[in-house]
Amino acid sequence: MSSPVSPDHTPPTQDEQHGPGAQDRRGGVVERLGLSWTLHGDGKHVAPGDVVTPRERLAWPRTISIGAQHVVAMFGATFLVPLLTGFPPATTLFFSGIGTVLFLVVTAGRVPSYLGSSFAFIAPITASVNQYGPGGALGGVIMAGAALFLIGLLVQVAGTGWLQKLMPPAVTGTIVALIGFNLAPSAKENFTAAPVTALVTLGSIILISVLFRGLLGRLSILLGVTIGYLAAVLRGEVQFDAIRTAWEQQGLFGLPQFQTPEFHLSLAGLFVPVILVLVAENIGHVKSVALMTGDNLDPYTGRAIMSDGLATMIAGAGGGSGTTTYAENIGVMAATRVYSTAAYWVAALVALLLSVTPVFGAAVATVPQGVLGGAATVLYGMIGMLGVRIWVQNRVDFSNPVNLTTAAVAMIVGIGNYTWSVAGLDFAGIALGTAAALVVYHLMATIARARGSVGSDPLTPDTSQSPSPLG
């Protein structure tokens, strides 16, 4: 049978030969994967007050340029996590790229985000490596990822209302704060190893954050680490043998170092509380993007959490650290007004390319303790202060004894690194502090409501006394 031809005798295209549904089916798959973008305007300019939405893109040269900015923005934080935990930097970078691709596909290209290393994993990874080695830590990362995926699935089905009841701002802020402040001894240890280099790094980060505007100011940690590294080189604190060895043994390209996980149930109490931070970060990220783009992204909140959980599980299965959505990249989007997920595909691919360059990974691994100590002093404190910001933004009323006691008890338990062993399970400071925050808050709130005592509703400011019981 001859192929049909059009009235003007033009040969049919391949799509036409396969029928009208073929192209629609292929287009539907591409659409569902979030791989189709419409060109914004002329592809070169963004009008004042306008934004490039997630499903739009600029011309590819500009999109690639913005994608490179996202790589720079995420890089400082992403490579510091493996350095502080002892994991191979190239491996963590590799899985951050894989995780970002997975996130973009699962959210159908509706939520622009880069999945980088989560600082919330630093404390449990450090503690578990000392007890069970890197394999045990990776098993804990997988357990946290699985729990996060299940929460995302529940959010996708039931919404976020139950989460807000379980973790009101008083509890969420407390958990985030204690995770950051629990890391203070680790920062001090690295700082005192090379105090001069650490002070140069810390001072550079502080000054750059206020001396420069825009993207440079937001890259203060990366630039500060670079300056600290140069200072360490001048002081003879950097050994370059690993770079030479990587070049001689692996050449220009090579796969990063992978490792298999080991599972120890006793680590569950150490890692699972981390998911509370990841849930809060994911929800906050989705809401921030929705606010800036004007899109309703609530239907994708569960998908975002699930994909972060999957990415964390995949990372743990191969030797990488747990992931989270990055606020650093929100800053890039706010500065450029470009929210195109095409730019994040570029960032993910660049990260994957860097991760299979052994010399790059070896160079990152040469960052000395003093540089890490200076950067960690800022970073760990910032994590803690994020919890305080949650309290402030939600106007948590600390004249209410429920909120005050919840934060007081949990913070001391977490920062003091209290431990508790029961039935073969070990609960360290973060896990125990998280449990304390949840138990103390809900127990006190339930009793206060039943008794009708002052400040019985911790979510409502206490106006029954003036001045407040705290003065």
Side-chain angles (χ1 to χ4, degrees), residues 40 45-46 50-54 56-58 293 337-340:
H40 180 86
H45 304 94
V46 182
D50 199 5
V51 298
V52 180
T53 65
E56 295 179 326
R57 66 170 176 85
L58 296 176
T293 62
R337 291 177 292 149
V338 177
Y339 301 89
S340 172

Side-chain angles (χ1 to χ4, degrees), residues 1 9 11 36 60 105 115 128 149 176 231 254 269 303 319 333 366 368 373 375 403:
M1 182 185 302
H9 304 289
S36 63
W60 281 113
V105 170
L115 290 191
S128 55
F149 174 82
V176 174
R303 289 195 192 189
M333 291 190 291
T366 63
N403 294 331

Side-chain angles (χ1 to χ4, degrees), residues 39-414:
L39 191 65
H40 180 86
D42 61 0
K44 298 179 180 180
H45 304 94
V46 182
D50 199 5
V51 298
V52 180
T53 65
R55 303 309 300 273
E56 295 179 326
R57 66 170 176 85
L58 296 176
W60 281 113
R62 283 171 168 75
T63 298
I64 292 172
S65 174
I66 294 171
Q69 291 186 61
H70 282 300
V71 173
V72 174
M74 68 81 182
F75 185 78
T78 293
F79 90 86
L80 274 177
V81 172
L83 287 179
L84 294 169
T85 57
F87 281 11
T91 308
T92 297
L93 189 62
F94 175 83
F95 284 110
S96 77
I98 294 292
T100 300
V101 169
L102 178 65
F103 184 95
L104 295 172
V105 170
V106 172
T107 58
R110 300 286 184 178
V111 184
S113 182
Y114 191 91
L115 290 191
S117 306
S118 171
F119 289 113
F121 280 97
I122 294 176
I125 286 177
T126 302
S128 55
V129 165
N130 294 335
Q131 188 174 3
Y132 294 107
L138 293 175
V141 170
I142 293 177
M143 286 189 281
L148 183 63
F149 174 82
L150 293 176
I151 288 183
L153 185 61
L154 188 55
V155 168
Q156 189 66 23
V157 174
T160 60
W162 65 277
L163 264 178
Q164 294 170 351
K165 292 180 180 178
L166 176 66
M167 296 187 303
V171 174
T172 304
T174 299
I175 294 171
V176 174
L178 66 86
I179 285 177
F181 296 141
N182 175 267
L183 295 167
S186 176
K188 179 185 176 183
E189 181 180 352
N190 284 323
F191 197 103
T192 54
V196 174
T197 300
L199 191 59
V200 170
T201 304
L202 176 60
S204 299
I205 293 172
I206 293 172
L207 291 176
I208 290 171
S209 65
V210 293
L211 285 175
F212 300 101
R213 299 178 180 179
L215 183 61
L216 282 179
R218 284 191 289 271
L219 295 179
S220 59
I221 292 175
L222 178 61
L223 296 176
V225 167
T226 302
I227 294 173
Y229 187 87
L230 294 175
V233 171
L234 294 176
R235 292 176 56 81
E237 297 172 355
V238 180
Q239 302 297 325
F240 296 103
D241 295 341
I243 300 176
R244 188 180 306 109
T245 301
W247 174 258
E248 293 174 351
Q249 295 182 354
Q250 296 178 272
L252 184 59
F253 294 105
L255 289 175
Q257 176 185 344
F258 298 119
Q259 182 168 341
T260 56
E262 301 172 4
F263 294 94
H264 302 276
L265 187 59
S266 60
L267 293 178
L270 193 61
F271 277 89
V272 172
V274 171
I275 67 175
L276 302 179
V277 181
L278 303 183
V279 168
E281 288 177 339
N282 275 278
I283 292 176
H285 184 98
V286 172
K287 288 186 178 297
S288 296
V289 173
L291 181 64
M292 290 185 286
T293 62
D295 294 337
N296 177 22
L297 297 178
D298 288 348
Y300 296 92
T301 301
R303 289 195 192 189
I305 298 173
M306 283 191 292
S307 55
D308 192 5
L310 286 173
T312 295
M313 292 172 66
I314 293 172
S321 182
T323 61
T324 188
T325 53
Y326 259 25
E328 288 87 344
N329 297 94
I330 290 183
V332 174
M333 291 190 291
T336 61
R337 291 177 292 149
V338 177
Y339 301 89
S340 172
T341 52
Y344 282 98
W345 276 94
V346 172
L349 295 176
V350 171
L352 289 172
L353 180 62
L354 291 175
S355 71
V356 296
T357 308
V359 173
F360 170 78
V364 172
T366 63
V367 178
Q369 274 186 289
V371 176
L372 298 178
T377 300
V378 179
L379 289 172
Y380 296 168
M382 284 182 175
I383 297 172
M385 294 309 296
L386 284 176
V388 176
R389 190 174 71 176
I390 291 174
W391 290 335
V392 173
Q393 288 180 337
N394 292 276
R395 299 181 180 179
V396 175
D397 180 13
F398 282 109
S399 69
N400 188 299
V402 176
N403 294 331
L404 181 63
T405 307
T406 296
V409 174
M411 290 286 285
I412 292 300
V413 170

Side-chain angles (χ1 to χ4, degrees), residues 3-15:
S3 300
V5 294
S6 61
D8 58 359
H9 304 289
T10 303
T13 64
Q14 187 176 5
D15 289 332

